[in-house]
Amino acid sequence: MAWRRLGNMTPLLAFSCFCLLVGDMLFGYDTGSFGGILANPGFINQFGDANAKGVYAISSLHTSLLSSLAFVGKFAGCFCAGPLIERCGHRAVFLILAAVSYEMDDRLREDAWCYTGNSEVGKSEGVVADGPVEMTSAGTGDGTGRLAQFIVGRIVVYASVGLVEVTVTTYQSEIVPAPLRGLVVLSLQLFLNAGSLVATGVNRAFSTYTSSVGWRVVTGIQFAFPTHSPRWLLSKDREADAVHALRRLRTPEEVSLGHCEAELSAIHEALRADVHKASWAAVFRGSNLRRTLVVLVGFTYQQITGQAFVSTYQTVFYKSNGYAAQAFTYPVINGVLGTLAVIPGMFLVDSLGPLFMISCALQAFWMFLLAGLGSKPYKTTTESNAVVAAFMLYSVCYSLGGAATPYLLAAEVPNHAVREKTASLGAALNVVWAFVTNFVMPYMLAALSFKVGYIFGGIAVSAVVWTFFFLPETKGRALEEIDAIFEKPFNPFRPTVITPTAAARRVGELEDDGKHEHQHVHDVDEKAVENQTV
């Protein structure tokens, strides 16, 4: 369905969906680059501790703090995003995001300083005078690094990342037609992987310094704000503004046929009592509790199936396990494969169905293979190559669906009245798990090495089981139709009869060009109800 609707994506709709993902691309850059920074000799000499022989090294504790405490800022951004969106709208949050994103560009210059091992590079560009606190967190000599100051700078940067992950995904889900929702929301992972790929390329270059002017221009685009979400405008009783906003997002043909007015009228009728935003307590009441649990569990599995193992710590892991010669090359290959893998996932999520379950099953396979081969005390060349291949293929399978699907769940599963709050809660829990995994990973690698694959593989298997038993299919449904899916218990062993309201059904028809196909789905549902009654 996504292929068919791409031709109806207007320039403003495309801009509104994708421009603000530049912020997530810069987060991907930070995630990918920081693994290289941790293994960088200049960084180690300035922020590490010298042993009796005068060799500098960063302890497991300091590595954990450097990697994990930045998520304090991301947690704050995630948790605050929902209430901010409800009160002020997506555009106001985009303003905050764009302002803080300029701080993220300076992370690139801080990285360049680390790669060159020469703080004078930063000074020559005026970095120390106007850059973030990370840039001034060390002098020119070994052992001069100020760890606390460096960490505070990362916390500030990550606050905008939290805003991105909640604001952009909820905004996308509300403005795009149902057949395009999966493709558009999963694009977040494409931008994140692209940023990580850029970072691994810079890590590989090692001593190459590039001006940040280009990145300033790109992040500056974010100040050209998209239109308000029509559904948010309805929640504020601004129906005329909602119609105007939707007209700007739809094609001229749809506007001329009066589809925009009909769609908003159907949305308003379908939402009824849920048009206005509800309290935090509503997140855990009635069918919302089940929907909230789906979002929370999805975000949990996103973090605990081993992604930190193959992202933040991959360069360090390669260097410490006999692959030092290629420790900066393999992540580049890994980044390319992971980025390319997102693209088929963006299109398959709206047609294949259980993409998250398939992704987790494949992740488990590669983690078990990685643990089994990697744990052998003596490996042949073929086995060593297989270990690297398993590392990379895990990343491919993770990017295919396991990485981005939780964002889609958070954007489409919650009811309209609590969508932003539920997404904020899920993203905040995601940050907690990211903090935990990043903090414990150095200790796990030190104690278990390759055998951590058995732990992460087992967790991925449990994700497959959870998906099968508790995650109903929502592909191709309008947001208002999804309410009907969660009104009934889910049984994976027999089809569930879904009966959306007439208004919700009309929203789905208007969002889908294939009206007859969409109607046929509901006719089947109605016939099933009649047979069940008889």
Side-chain angles (χ1 to χ4, degrees):
M1 287 190 293
W3 287 100
R4 176 160 47 88
R5 284 289 282 169
L6 273 179
N8 288 345
M9 179 173 280
T10 63
L12 180 62
L13 180 59
F15 174 80
S16 300
C17 288
F18 300 119
C19 75
L20 288 146
L21 285 174
V22 171
D24 209 61
M25 185 174 180
L26 294 177
F27 172 54
Y29 181 95
D30 182 277
T31 302
S33 66
F34 194 64
I37 290 174
L38 289 174
N40 183 272
F43 186 83
I44 293 172
N45 289 341
Q46 291 201 324
F47 286 88
D49 298 313
N51 60 19
K53 297 181 180 180
V55 177
Y56 283 87
I58 299 177
S59 67
S60 295
L61 174 62
H62 285 175
T63 299
S64 295
L65 293 174
L66 283 165
S67 300
S68 59
L69 284 183
F71 290 100
V72 172
K74 188 179 176 184
F75 180 90
C78 288
F79 201 78
C80 294
L84 278 173
I85 295 168
E86 289 184 0
R87 179 176 292 273
C88 306
H90 294 85
R91 294 184 72 186
V93 180
F94 290 155
L95 173 61
I96 300 171
L97 169 63
V100 180
S101 287
Y102 269 92
E103 179 78 6
M104 300 184 74
D105 124 87
D106 288 323
R107 286 283 296 132
L108 305 181
R109 291 184 288 169
E110 171 260 322
D111 291 346
W113 164 63
C114 290
Y115 298 141
T116 59
N118 180 7
S119 61
E120 294 303 316
V121 172
K123 290 180 181 179
S124 68
E125 296 292 325
V127 172
V128 174
D130 67 353
V133 291
E134 300 106 304
M135 286 299 301
T136 59
S137 59
T140 58
D142 292 346
T144 60
R146 293 180 286 276
L147 191 71
Q149 184 176 339
F150 187 90
I151 290 172
V152 168
R154 282 173 57 78
I155 290 174
V156 172
V157 168
Y158 270 54
S160 67
V161 175
L163 293 176
V164 169
E165 293 188 354
V166 177
T167 309
V168 174
T169 53
T170 55
Y171 180 71
Q172 289 173 328
S173 71
E174 293 190 352
I175 67 171
V176 299
L180 283 175
R181 190 170 58 241
L183 182 150
V184 169
V185 175
L186 262 65
S187 65
L188 179 146
Q189 189 65 31
L190 179 65
F191 278 73
L192 193 152
N193 281 18
S196 181
L197 176 59
V198 171
T200 54
V202 175
N203 279 335
R204 180 66 180 85
F206 194 74
S207 61
T208 301
Y209 174 70
T210 303
S211 173
S212 63
V213 172
W215 288 99
R216 283 190 179 277
V217 172
V218 174
T219 54
I221 291 174
Q222 298 175 91
F223 283 99
F225 304 114
T227 183
H228 276 300
S229 160
R231 284 178 170 87
W232 179 81
L233 290 168
L234 282 181
S235 74
K236 298 297 181 182
D237 297 321
R238 294 166 57 182
E239 296 186 14
D241 292 336
V243 171
H244 176 69
L246 191 60
R247 282 175 175 171
R248 297 180 65 198
L249 296 169
R250 296 294 186 255
T251 63
E253 181 183 2
E254 291 170 319
V255 172
S256 64
L257 292 173
H259 286 183
C260 297
E261 290 82 356
E263 182 177 344
L264 282 173
S265 176
I267 290 172
H268 198 287
E269 183 181 347
L271 292 174
R272 295 181 183 175
D274 295 324
V275 168
H276 301 101
K277 299 302 180 180
S279 66
W280 279 101
V283 173
F284 304 100
R285 284 201 301 255
S287 64
N288 286 338
L289 174 59
R290 179 181 160 206
R291 298 160 86 159
T292 300
L293 290 176
V294 166
V295 173
L296 295 180
V297 175
F299 270 125
T300 296
Y301 278 125
Q302 184 200 51
Q303 289 293 335
I304 65 175
T305 57
Q307 67 85 22
F309 181 33
V310 296
S311 59
T312 304
Y313 291 97
Q314 61 177 326
T315 305
V316 174
F317 186 78
Y318 282 135
K319 288 188 70 174
S320 60
N321 284 278
Y323 303 94
Q326 304 296 331
F328 288 93
T329 301
Y330 287 152
V332 176
I333 301 173
N334 199 28
V336 171
L337 294 175
T339 301
L340 293 176
V342 179
I343 298 173
M346 289 167 58
F347 289 94
L348 290 174
V349 70
D350 284 318
S351 56
L352 185 61
L355 187 62
F356 186 73
M357 182 169 66
I358 295 170
S359 173
C360 289
L362 293 172
Q363 289 174 56
F365 174 78
W366 296 118
M367 273 295 172
F368 287 140
L369 183 63
L370 179 67
L373 290 177
S375 299
K376 296 180 67 173
Y378 303 103
K379 293 184 284 291
T380 65
T381 302
T382 301
E383 289 171 338
S384 295
N385 291 338
V387 168
V388 176
F391 220 103
M392 294 180 181
L393 289 171
Y394 168 88
S395 180
V396 168
C397 296
Y398 177 76
S399 297
L400 181 67
T405 302
Y407 295 115
L408 178 60
L409 295 177
E412 71 178 11
V413 167
N415 177 267
H416 172 78
V418 293
R419 179 169 293 120
E420 290 80 10
K421 288 187 174 72
T422 306
S424 285
L425 193 62
L429 180 64
N430 177 268
V431 174
V432 172
W433 282 114
F435 175 90
V436 171
T437 54
N438 277 274
F439 189 86
V440 304
M441 189 62 66
Y443 299 100
M444 292 178 67
L445 292 177
L448 300 173
S449 188
F450 284 99
K451 291 181 180 178
V452 297
Y454 289 124
I455 297 175
F456 293 130
I459 294 173
V461 169
S462 72
V464 173
V465 175
W466 171 79
T467 304
F468 180 79
F469 283 102
F470 298 103
L471 187 60
E473 185 55 67
T474 58
K475 66 181 177 68
R477 300 279 190 176
L479 294 176
E480 289 69 29
E481 291 180 292
I482 293 175
D483 290 338
I485 294 177
F486 286 91
E487 290 297 329
K488 295 186 177 182
F490 174 64
N491 188 333
F493 297 106
R494 68 167 183 242
T496 303
V497 179
I498 306 300
T499 54
T501 64
R505 186 180 309 175
R506 181 60 177 156
V507 175
E509 293 167 1
L510 289 167
E511 290 188 355
D512 186 1
D513 271 356
K515 297 174 186 176
H516 298 297
E517 175 188 341
H518 196 96
Q519 183 66 47
H520 175 69
V521 172
H522 293 301
D523 288 342
V524 171
D525 289 343
E526 289 177 348
K527 189 173 182 180
V529 172
E530 293 171 2
N531 291 339
Q532 192 178 56
T533 304
V534 174

